[in-house]
Amino acid sequence: SSGRVDDNLKSLERRFVTFRESELPVIEKFRSSGLLSSVNADNSLEEVYSDARKELKHVLEALKDGK
C-alpha cells in the first residue's frame, strides 16, 4: 500500500474515470494536432534526455509555425 487514505479499489476506479473524462480529451487534442510526443524512458538517461530535447524542439517549432 502507498499509505494513502484513498488507496483502495473504489478510489482507483474513480481516478481512472477522472482520467478518461478530464485528461484523455486533452491528450487526444494534442495527438490530433501533431503536438503529442513520447519518449522511451527505458533507454539510458542520456538517450531519454536527448530524445526529449528532440521532441520538445519539434513541438516548439510546430507551435511557432502556428499549429
Side-chain angles (χ1 to χ4, degrees):
S1 158
S2 69
R4 291 176 54 150
V5 174
D6 63 346
D7 192 10
N8 57 60
L9 184 57
K10 187 170 181 73
S11 293
L12 180 61
E13 289 170 345
R14 280 196 308 264
R15 287 195 293 268
F16 274 115
V17 168
T18 300
F19 172 79
R20 265 196 326 267
E21 293 174 353
S22 300
E23 284 83 8
L24 202 53
V26 174
I27 291 169
E28 291 305 321
K29 179 173 177 27
F30 278 91
R31 184 185 324 274
S32 68
S33 299
L35 298 174
L36 182 68
S37 297
S38 62
V39 173
N40 184 351
D42 290 330
N43 293 332
S44 70
L45 178 61
E46 293 79 14
E47 289 173 303
V48 170
Y49 178 74
S50 176
D51 291 346
R53 283 181 55 100
K54 288 177 194 171
E55 292 300 322
L56 181 58
K57 183 178 179 182
H58 169 75
V59 168
L60 292 175
E61 287 173 357
L63 288 171
K64 187 172 80 174
D65 294 340
K67 238 185 179 189

